[in-house]
Amino acid sequence: MCIGAHPRSIMNLMEDGGYSHVQRASATTSRSALDLLSLPYSFSQVGLLTAGDFATQANRRRSRAAFGLPSVDTQILEELHHHGVLVPLFRVDLTDGSSDRRIDISKSQTPHHVSSTAVSELFLAASEGRAADPSLENFQSWPQESRRVLWPSVDSGYLYSRHQLLGFDVASSITSELAATRTGETTIAWHLPDSSVPNQPTRDALNSWRSLAIVLCALDTYLWPLVTHTLRHDFSAWRKARLAFDAGDMLSWLGLSSEQAMAQANELKMSASFRDDMGEFYDLIRRAKADAWDTMRGDALAALDFRLAADVLERCVQEIEPPDNGASTLDPPLSHQALSYQPHSLDSALTQMALSPLPSLVIGVEGETEHRLLPRVMELLGIPLDRNLIEIVDFGGTGKDLALLARYAAEPVLGKSVGEYVVLDRPVTRFLVLTDAENKYKTYANRQKQRKILLESLTKNVPIEYRKDLLGYRLRERTVEIRTWGPLPFEFAHFTDGQLADVLTKLALAPHPGGRAALVAHIHAERLSSSPDILDVGWAGRGRISKPGLADATWPILEKRIKRAILKGQQGPPIMKAVLRAYEMAN
């Protein structure tokens, strides 16, 4: 039965009549893995993997569809090597070397700067004639008897490239045919049945992925850090190698054209798209640091391997033929986009997924009382205390200039222009000012003037033709709104003289010398003054009363009043109406 045919695939007819599809890599080279050892700084950025390490990485990429298949171990890798499904990149022998097999590594900086045991042992073996490319020799059973503690601990140790995980992924139709044979009471060996052993055309297709891995190993020293934004080992050594790197010369050395490299990059992106299960979250994942990528598993990690390889090839081509940034082309589907292809900002990506950390509404309050009570009122009304929805900021008094705060908190960021409109990279954050009617907010005309100042600050960097969408005056269109508690400050707008007298008496160190009636009269006189302030109501022995303390003491009264308004379906006190308006603006 044929499933998932690919235009570049070949079919391998099995003896039992079944078919297996193996996609062929197109960007291949005639270079041996041993040729990589003569390059200036090979394996410094993408290290080599022992058989055990490669098995671990292969298991981390197991698809959910692989349920019931064996976990990869060194015995399975040996079986795959035996049948040409996955041939290691290098073999390092402990036996005496041969002078005719010695490799000149004098121009390589890798032995001097890379401390990895596997890489160090490989280069030492190469200089002594003890390193081999297994693809150039007949298969030999892997030694099992331990000789020493240091790798390789047996007579011959095998090394793989991370890039060979691509070939392992492509060979899944063959590895899924592995069958178990019990070799002892607790020991199981895995083997490919004769009917599933790949024929020569299939082995050639599989070997093309090993060849692609050699190509990627030749390029990754120079380009991998640009993709992952991570540099390993000595910076000076890498910089020297990078400055000497010529992408055109390297492709010529590999026997590749730019067209072949770019075609392979596009094929790898297509393969990633088929393997991907990240959906729209890919747009966020590709912006993460490389260490975070390494925490992924399964299909997501396998898809990332294909995209990393595609980026390396694409960047190489772009160094030869820089892209035409002025060309007007449609963005490819997200799942087909390269890791480094980010046509939109992070703000835009987060906005599109409704994950922006920026709030929908910033509420600016003038003092500690409102800052303390507003969240309690929101909770009482069932409005989520979510900073992604509403953020409350204390701007510290009616005399402060809010223009800078408003711009910092709520300035929209424009993205791509599309005809008669422009996409918002950062969502419009509305700004609601809740304040006492005093100073620059005393009259309606004063408040409209301040609203205009705030709007001008917000739209300073917005082209004139788009500003009208942010300057609406109708209730539902307002980007900036200024509301007061009425003609009186917060405490006088929400509590009666008697309630304030009882609260002050509770907080004071000593009662008012004239008793409650005198205190109520004192508070009433303050209410009628030109600049009423509840803390100006003082007497000998009152002691210090803070605004937060006053807010906490008045909360039970306010809470009871709001609950009563909810039960009766009434608008409630000014702060309740303000919170409901804030929720309306935020949504």
Side-chain angles (χ1 to χ4, degrees):
M1 180 177 182
C2 301
I3 301 175
H6 187 281
R8 297 187 59 85
S9 299
I10 61 173
M11 292 189 300
N12 175 30
L13 180 60
M14 304 296 184
E15 291 181 4
D16 64 356
Y19 292 89
S20 173
H21 288 74
V22 178
Q23 180 183 350
R24 181 184 290 273
S26 58
T28 58
T29 179
S30 60
R31 291 286 180 180
S32 159
L34 296 174
D35 293 329
L36 298 170
L37 301 176
S38 63
L39 295 177
Y41 202 28
S42 54
F43 308 117
S44 62
Q45 303 308 309
V46 182
L48 292 168
L49 302 171
T50 65
D53 292 337
F54 187 87
T56 298
Q57 293 301 321
N59 286 321
R60 291 182 61 218
R61 290 156 173 80
R62 283 167 61 90
S63 169
R64 289 188 298 272
F67 179 78
L69 298 179
S71 295
V72 183
D73 59 19
T74 55
Q75 186 271 315
I76 287 177
L77 292 179
E78 181 182 3
E79 178 72 2
L80 298 179
H81 177 191
H82 179 203
H83 295 292
V85 177
L86 186 71
V87 179
L89 215 57
F90 296 104
R91 190 186 74 240
V92 174
D93 299 326
L94 290 182
T95 54
D96 292 337
S98 171
S99 59
D100 60 339
R101 292 174 54 197
R102 290 175 182 170
I103 298 172
D104 182 9
I105 61 169
S106 60
K107 295 182 180 179
S108 175
Q109 293 299 306
T110 303
H112 307 293
H113 297 290
V114 178
S115 57
S116 161
T117 299
V119 172
S120 298
E121 287 292 320
L122 169 63
F123 275 84
L124 177 62
S127 67
E128 296 177 353
R130 297 184 289 108
D133 181 338
S135 70
L136 303 178
E137 303 176 347
N138 293 327
F139 172 77
Q140 303 173 27
S141 295
W142 290 13
Q144 301 298 322
E145 186 178 351
S146 179
R147 299 293 188 188
R148 63 177 190 173
V149 175
L150 186 69
W151 186 93
S153 59
V154 295
D155 284 338
S156 296
Y158 292 91
L159 292 174
Y160 294 81
S161 164
R162 169 179 174 156
H163 303 306
Q164 288 186 269
L165 290 164
L166 302 176
F168 184 82
D169 189 89
V170 170
S172 60
S173 60
I174 296 174
T175 58
S176 64
E177 299 293 327
L178 287 163
T181 301
R182 187 171 293 281
T183 58
E185 290 186 7
T186 60
T187 308
I188 293 177
W190 294 89
H191 69 280
L192 281 175
D194 291 343
S195 60
S196 300
V197 172
N199 59 17
Q200 189 58 48
T202 304
R203 289 198 296 273
D204 290 343
L206 293 166
N207 189 59
S208 72
W209 287 92
R210 183 180 186 276
S211 184
L212 173 61
I214 292 175
V215 170
L216 293 168
C217 285
L219 298 173
D220 62 23
T221 295
Y222 318 99
L223 302 170
W224 194 264
L226 307 182
V227 177
T228 63
H229 306 291
T230 302
L231 185 67
R232 300 179 62 195
H233 305 297
D234 188 74
F235 171 75
S236 297
W238 177 81
R239 186 173 182 272
K240 180 179 178 181
R242 182 71 180 89
L243 290 174
F245 173 67
D246 184 285
D249 289 347
M250 180 60 78
L251 287 186
S252 296
W253 184 80
L254 291 166
L256 283 174
S257 66
S258 296
E259 291 75 20
Q260 286 175 300
M262 198 64 198
Q264 180 70 79
N266 290 331
E267 290 171 14
L268 290 169
K269 285 185 281 187
M270 185 70 71
S271 296
S273 175
F274 282 117
R275 188 66 192 272
D276 193 6
D277 65 355
M278 292 180 276
E280 291 187 13
F281 281 95
Y282 168 52
D283 199 17
L284 301 184
I285 289 170
R286 64 178 169 181
R287 301 166 192 271
K289 61 180 181 179
D291 288 347
W293 294 342
D294 288 339
T295 65
M296 296 194 297
R297 295 288 188 276
D299 294 316
L301 185 54
L304 184 70
D305 290 333
F306 283 93
R307 287 181 171 130
L308 283 165
D311 251 40
V312 168
L313 291 169
E314 193 166 302
R315 282 176 180 268
C316 180
V317 173
Q318 289 175 351
E319 292 202 11
I320 302 170
E321 305 168 6
D324 182 5
N325 294 325
S328 178
T329 57
L330 294 175
D331 294 333
L334 176 61
S335 64
H336 294 179
Q337 292 176 14
L339 287 167
S340 58
Y341 183 79
Q342 297 174 14
H344 310 297
S345 68
L346 175 60
D347 273 333
S348 176
L350 292 169
T351 298
Q352 292 300 317
M353 299 185 70
L355 291 174
S356 174
L358 301 169
S360 296
L361 175 73
V362 171
I363 302 177
V365 295
E366 65 150 310
E368 294 176 298
T369 300
E370 298 89 331
H371 194 266
R372 205 170 186 89
L373 293 179
L374 220 59
R376 300 182 188 181
V377 177
M378 290 173 61
E379 187 174 11
L380 194 61
L381 294 174
I383 295 174
L385 295 172
D386 184 351
R387 288 188 64 184
N388 284 3
L389 181 67
I390 298 175
E391 183 170 358
I392 304 170
V393 178
D394 180 356
F395 59 83
T398 56
K400 298 295 179 65
D401 183 0
L402 294 183
L404 185 59
L405 172 61
R407 189 174 173 191
Y408 169 77
E411 182 180 28
V413 176
L414 304 186
K416 191 174 183 180
S417 178
V418 184
E420 295 181 352
Y421 65 92
V422 64
V423 177
L424 279 170
D425 270 11
R426 179 187 293 178
V428 174
T429 296
R430 291 178 168 159
F431 197 61
L432 174 62
V433 179
L434 299 179
T435 178
D436 291 341
E438 58 186 21
N439 295 327
K440 62 179 68 177
Y441 305 105
K442 187 173 183 65
T443 66
Y444 176 78
N446 293 150
R447 294 191 287 274
Q448 288 300 93
K449 179 182 178 181
Q450 292 303 312
R451 181 178 182 273
K452 182 179 179 182
I453 291 172
L454 294 178
L455 281 169
E456 288 174 349
S457 175
L458 286 177
T459 59
K460 182 178 181 180
N461 292 327
V462 177
I464 294 175
E465 61 268 27
Y466 299 123
R467 291 183 188 177
K468 63 181 182 299
D469 292 333
L470 300 172
L471 301 177
Y473 278 83
R474 290 187 299 177
L475 195 65
R476 66 186 302 273
E477 296 174 349
R478 291 179 188 169
T479 304
V480 173
E481 185 168 309
I482 300 174
R483 296 175 74 95
T484 66
W485 313 115
L488 294 171
F490 182 85
E491 290 81 9
F492 290 104
H494 288 85
F495 306 104
T496 66
D497 295 339
Q499 289 170 335
L500 290 173
D502 293 338
V503 169
L504 288 179
T505 300
K506 179 181 178 182
L507 296 174
L509 296 177
H512 192 279
R516 185 178 187 275
L519 178 56
V520 169
H522 192 171
I523 293 172
H524 187 69
E526 183 66 26
R527 181 187 294 270
L528 299 178
S529 68
S530 59
S531 298
D533 185 341
I534 187 61
L535 293 187
D536 285 347
V537 178
W539 61 90
R542 190 200 73 171
R544 183 179 180 276
I545 297 176
S546 67
K547 279 293 184 82
L550 187 64
D552 291 339
T554 54
W555 169 244
I557 303 170
L558 190 59
E559 181 182 29
K560 184 176 180 180
R561 187 177 172 190
I562 292 173
K563 286 181 176 179
R564 184 168 61 247
I566 293 172
L567 288 174
K568 294 184 176 182
Q570 297 174 342
Q571 287 188 332
I575 193 172
M576 177 177 171
K577 289 186 283 186
V579 166
L580 292 174
R581 174 56 182 154
Y583 191 55
E584 183 180 29
M585 290 181 71
N587 285 281

